[in-house]
Amino acid sequence: MAARKVLNMLTKRRKEILDFIQKYKLRYGNIPTIREICEHFGLKSTNGVYEHLKALEKGGYIEITANKARNIIIKDNFEKNNILPIIGEVAAGEPIYPIVTEGDKLAVPLNTDSSFVLKVKGDSMINAGIKSGDMIVVDTQKPVNNKDIVVALLDGEVTLKRLVISDNKIELHPENENYNIIKIDKKEFKIIGKVTFLIRKF
Amino acid sequence: MAARKVLNMLTKRRKEILDFIQKYKLRYGNIPTIREICEHFGLKSTNGVYEHLKALEKGGYIEITANKARNIIIKDNFEKNNILPIIGEVAAGEPIYPIVTEGDKLAVPLNTDSSFVLKVKGDSMINAGIKSGDMIVVDTQKPVNNKDIVVALLDGEVTLKRLVISDNKIELHPENENYNIIKIDKKEFKIIGKVTFLIRKF
DNA sequence: TTGACAACTGAACATTTGTTCAGTAAAATT
DNA sequence: AATTTTACTGAACAAATGTTCAGTTGTCAA
């Protein structure tokens, strides 16, 4: 018998399921199983949810890896009504900020192959507006220029400083009067990456 | 026969495995299976990895939900460095940081019904680490408390200040010596919302 | 040198989880 | 009114995945 026909339409129920998967992932950092979705909606058969997932996949909302547990990839098909109003300073037309919202999240694009996230500890960069507890995105591939804020490895320690190159000298500048400039000479030194984003939660 | 004894030590191999799980999750937003870990390290038996995971659990580095696919929770107890690696996850029970990676984006959760994004202009909040050009997320529904940083409407102007309430007086404090405290008396005044996130692009 | 442990192999077993098939009822569409 | 589609139930099957058991080898410390 031919497979049951499934249309691409994003029905109310399917949106509910899509939302639930997003929220579950947000909370547990993991994709729910089909049976967990069933349980959440009080459904008794996995096939109900399974068909919804197939429909969501056909509609391009998600991607399912066959026969793999918890293997749904949520696609980014940002629609215009999901974009948050950016008001105030930003003029229309002007290339704004690479920030888009997806469902109930605000997202910044980054290269996951070369980026990672660090939590800042300490106040050596306080005058650059980087506080202890802030989250920074570090890109290990982006070219690093003079005056960039970088994450470096110094004598086995990871530090966050501003890179200053002048007259063949390399220095790491803290942005806090209580800290000293670090001059790179024979020390073991490596730039891990350039800071590309900062995110702070209040 | 008694179960094989497993000590808590974080050996080199176990740290490699822990690192791999973190990176996998950062990249795919998902936990790898034991067999995927085996494959990555070129191992032929799942039990090798399984014992390492059990050891990591005993050491308090991870938490494993029995008999569940891809159900490792990475605990957040790495210290010592200035900086710690953040895994895109929220630990069960205790939410650490609501930041998750999804595909090639880094996302923070927010209520799109009640939030909007503003671009900061001016340096009146510089000592709070908020610089001109930063993007802030403002939630109009969240309860506003004393000492919160808020966006307020004052005589038709939108301002970003810290709300300070004391002895029946309401004040808006800038965080910059060059600006004056604003005392709210008979002025037209309205709190638009509380600042929940700050995002800066470098 | 003996014992404890790390770090595996190999094979099986148990459980979870994804998938398919057959059917029902209500709502929407034609 | 007939057809299509949504939205399910219920049962079974198959694949993926977690778990256990029995053994091997090398290293390191007592």
Side-chain angles (χ1 to χ4, degrees):
Chain A
M1 188 209 253
R4 187 181 305 237
K5 195 185 276 185
V6 179
L7 295 196
N8 318 352
M9 213 188 136
L10 184 66
T11 64
K12 189 186 162 195
R13 193 50 147 181
R14 288 168 191 170
K15 179 152 174 42
E16 281 174 356
I17 288 174
L18 186 59
D19 286 346
F20 172 71
I21 296 170
Q22 287 181 328
K23 278 177 187 163
Y24 184 104
K25 189 176 178 186
L26 204 60
R27 177 167 304 167
Y28 301 107
N30 219 349
I31 299 292
T33 63
I34 291 175
R35 280 170 182 83
E36 283 171 343
I37 300 171
C38 282
E39 199 179 348
H40 177 262
F41 289 99
L43 303 180
K44 292 176 183 172
S45 173
T46 54
N47 188 47
V49 170
Y50 187 75
E51 283 178 357
H52 286 312
L53 292 181
K54 281 290 171 195
L56 284 168
E57 187 177 39
K58 275 211 168 176
Y61 299 98
I62 61 173
E63 208 178 293
I64 304 170
T65 310
N67 294 321
K68 292 261 177 181
R70 302 174 188 270
N71 246 300
I72 295 166
I73 294 167
I74 303 165
K75 295 290 198 70
D76 350 314
N77 36 1
F78 15 97
E79 293 148 27
K80 53 176 177 278
N81 57 345
N82 274 344
I83 294 174
L84 284 180
I86 297 183
I87 60 171
E89 237 292 297
V90 182
E94 184 185 310
I96 310 172
Y97 238 72
I99 296 180
V100 277
T101 55
E102 302 183 40
D104 56 353
K105 289 185 289 301
L106 183 74
V108 298
L110 75 160
N111 188 344
T112 47
D113 289 334
S114 59
S115 293
F116 59 95
V117 179
L118 294 178
K119 189 172 186 178
V120 177
K121 199 174 178 191
D123 59 352
S124 71
M125 294 301 283
I126 194 75
N127 291 345
I130 302 178
K131 302 175 71 176
S132 195
D134 287 355
M135 312 287 290
I136 54 172
V137 178
V138 182
D139 195 315
T140 59
Q141 299 289 340
K142 270 205 174 156
V144 174
N145 297 313
N146 192 17
K147 301 287 175 66
D148 279 351
I149 293 174
V150 299
V151 170
L153 196 63
L154 242 180
D155 295 324
E157 291 265 319
V158 178
T159 45
L160 177 68
K161 297 285 180 299
R162 191 180 295 280
L163 181 75
V164 178
I165 306 170
S166 59
D167 304 332
N168 300 330
K169 284 184 305 189
I170 298 177
E171 295 178 341
L172 294 178
H173 287 216
E175 309 249 328
N176 182 333
E177 311 79 36
N178 302 323
Y179 290 75
N180 295 323
I181 291 172
I182 299 166
K183 288 177 183 163
I184 306 300
D185 28 44
K186 45 200 166 295
K187 290 199 188 82
E188 189 194 337
F189 169 68
K190 193 188 168 217
I191 292 178
I192 294 175
K194 170 186 161 74
V195 175
T196 54
F197 282 98
L198 178 144
I199 297 178
R200 180 183 305 154
K201 189 192 177 236
F202 289 86
Chain B
M1 187 208 251
R4 188 180 305 239
K5 196 185 277 185
V6 180
L7 296 195
N8 316 354
M9 212 187 138
L10 184 64
T11 63
K12 190 185 164 197
R13 192 52 145 181
R14 287 169 190 169
K15 179 153 176 40
E16 281 175 357
I17 288 175
L18 185 58
D19 286 347
F20 173 70
I21 296 171
Q22 287 180 328
K23 279 178 189 163
Y24 184 104
K25 190 171 181 190
L26 206 59
R27 179 167 302 169
Y28 301 106
N30 219 349
I31 299 292
T33 62
I34 291 176
R35 281 170 182 80
E36 283 170 344
I37 299 171
C38 283
E39 200 179 346
H40 177 263
F41 289 99
L43 302 180
K44 292 176 183 173
S45 173
T46 55
N47 187 46
V49 170
Y50 187 75
E51 284 179 356
H52 285 312
L53 293 181
K54 281 292 172 195
L56 284 168
E57 188 178 38
K58 275 212 166 176
Y61 298 98
I62 62 173
E63 208 178 293
I64 304 170
T65 311
N67 293 321
K68 293 261 176 182
R70 301 173 189 272
N71 246 300
I72 295 166
I73 294 166
I74 302 164
K75 294 293 196 66
D76 195 31
N77 42 7
F78 318 84
E79 289 293 341
K80 291 194 196 105
N81 294 347
N82 297 359
I83 278 167
L84 20 126
I86 286 289
I87 332 96
E89 87 159 33
V90 178
E94 261 193 272
I96 306 168
Y97 228 79
I99 294 185
V100 223
T101 52
E102 306 225 357
D104 57 350
K105 293 195 194 57
L106 182 76
V108 298
L110 76 163
N111 189 343
T112 48
D113 292 333
S114 60
S115 294
F116 60 92
V117 179
L118 274 181
K119 189 171 185 179
V120 177
K121 196 178 178 188
D123 58 353
S124 72
M125 292 301 282
I126 194 73
N127 290 345
I130 303 177
K131 301 174 74 175
S132 196
D134 287 353
M135 312 289 289
I136 54 173
V137 177
V138 183
D139 194 315
T140 59
Q141 299 289 340
K142 271 206 173 156
V144 175
N145 297 314
N146 191 18
K147 302 286 176 67
D148 279 351
I149 294 175
V150 300
V151 170
L153 196 64
L154 241 181
D155 295 323
E157 291 265 320
V158 176
T159 48
L160 177 68
K161 296 285 182 300
R162 190 181 296 279
L163 180 74
V164 178
I165 306 169
S166 59
D167 303 332
N168 300 330
K169 286 182 304 189
I170 297 177
E171 295 178 341
L172 293 178
H173 287 215
E175 307 247 330
N176 183 333
E177 310 78 37
N178 304 322
Y179 290 76
N180 295 323
I181 290 172
I182 301 166
K183 289 178 182 163
I184 306 300
D185 30 42
K186 45 201 163 294
K187 291 198 188 82
E188 189 196 338
F189 168 70
K190 193 187 169 223
I191 292 177
I192 294 175
K194 169 187 163 73
V195 175
T196 53
F197 282 98
L198 177 145
I199 296 176
R200 181 183 303 154
K201 185 183 182 252
F202 288 85

